[in-house]
């Protein structure tokens, strides 16, 4: 299932997600993956959390990013949760309707793979489309 941490920049979303990933890594029977757009938080994560930095990959649209996630899943069939920070680089370039479709596609992918995805979006929760409100945590 997809879960979204939303809020304005500087509200501590990344720290909260790092804490979630570290806590999950202690109890996980499978793998925990943390995807970020830079490596500034790499050393804040428990050594068992697989860190993936995205700048070396061109992610200009939601379909490319979904393919990237599917590539991660194809490399490891026991992933329990993927934590995704820095998603705004993609979301700032698309409409709300495309954003809703993107989240719904990722939710379908996560259910098919029987794993969770937790994503950060730097936007006020009341500014998100109504269709994605159900994914907020």
């Amino acid at each position: 299932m997809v879960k979204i941490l939303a809020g304005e920049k500087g509200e501590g979303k990344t720290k909260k997600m790092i804490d979630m990933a570290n806590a999950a890594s202690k109890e996980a029977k499978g793998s925990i993956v943390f995807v970020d757009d830079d490596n500034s938080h790499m050393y804040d994560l428990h050594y068992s959390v697989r860190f993936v930095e995205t700048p070396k990959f061109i992610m200009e649209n939601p379909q490319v990013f979904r393919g990237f996630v599917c590539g991660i899943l194809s490399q490891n069939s026991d992933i329990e949760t993927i934590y995704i920070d820095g998603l705004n680089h993609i979301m700032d370039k698309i409409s709300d309707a495309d954003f809703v479709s993107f989240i719904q596609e990722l939710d379908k992918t996560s259910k098919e793979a029987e794993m969770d995805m937790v994503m950060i979006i730097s936007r006020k929760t009341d500014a998100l489309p109504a269709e994605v409100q159900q994914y907020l945590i």
Side-chain angles (χ1 to χ4, degrees):
M1 172 176 218
V2 166
K3 300 170 188 170
I4 298 173
L5 282 170
E8 292 192 48
K9 196 170 183 111
E11 289 186 2
K13 297 178 301 298
T14 298
K15 181 174 180 353
K16 182 176 180 179
M17 190 162 71
I18 288 169
D19 291 344
M20 291 170 69
N22 285 334
S25 73
K26 294 175 185 171
E27 299 175 9
K29 292 179 177 48
S31 299
I32 303 297
V33 179
F34 194 96
V35 178
D36 202 350
D37 60 344
D38 65 37
N39 66 1
S40 62
H41 301 291
M42 181 169 45
Y43 298 108
D44 297 331
L45 294 163
H46 188 267
Y47 70 89
S48 65
V49 176
R50 180 175 163 208
F51 183 81
V52 179
E53 186 182 5
T54 61
K56 47 191 152 185
F57 307 103
I58 299 170
M59 310 244 199
E60 295 176 343
N61 63 56
Q63 292 306 326
V64 172
F65 189 82
R66 184 177 173 278
F68 178 78
V69 169
C70 289
I72 291 172
L73 292 171
S74 73
Q75 294 295 311
N76 190 343
S77 62
D78 74 339
I79 292 175
E80 288 186 19
T81 308
I82 298 177
Y83 293 89
I84 303 168
D85 195 3
L87 196 58
N88 274 59
H89 296 293
I90 295 170
M91 297 302 100
D92 288 342
K93 299 175 184 173
I94 64 172
S95 68
D96 280 353
D98 288 340
F99 175 63
V100 169
S101 295
F102 173 66
I103 295 299
Q104 290 170 341
E105 286 178 33
L106 285 180
D107 192 46
K108 181 180 173 189
T109 300
S110 73
K111 287 176 182 171
E112 289 171 355
E114 298 177 356
M115 51 73 96
D116 292 324
M117 281 186 233
V118 180
M119 298 178 275
I120 288 180
I121 297 175
S122 293
R123 199 185 287 181
K124 289 183 180 181
T125 56
D126 58 356
L128 291 170
E131 297 88 349
V132 298
Q133 296 290 325
Q134 65 182 328
Y135 301 106
L136 295 175
I137 55 172

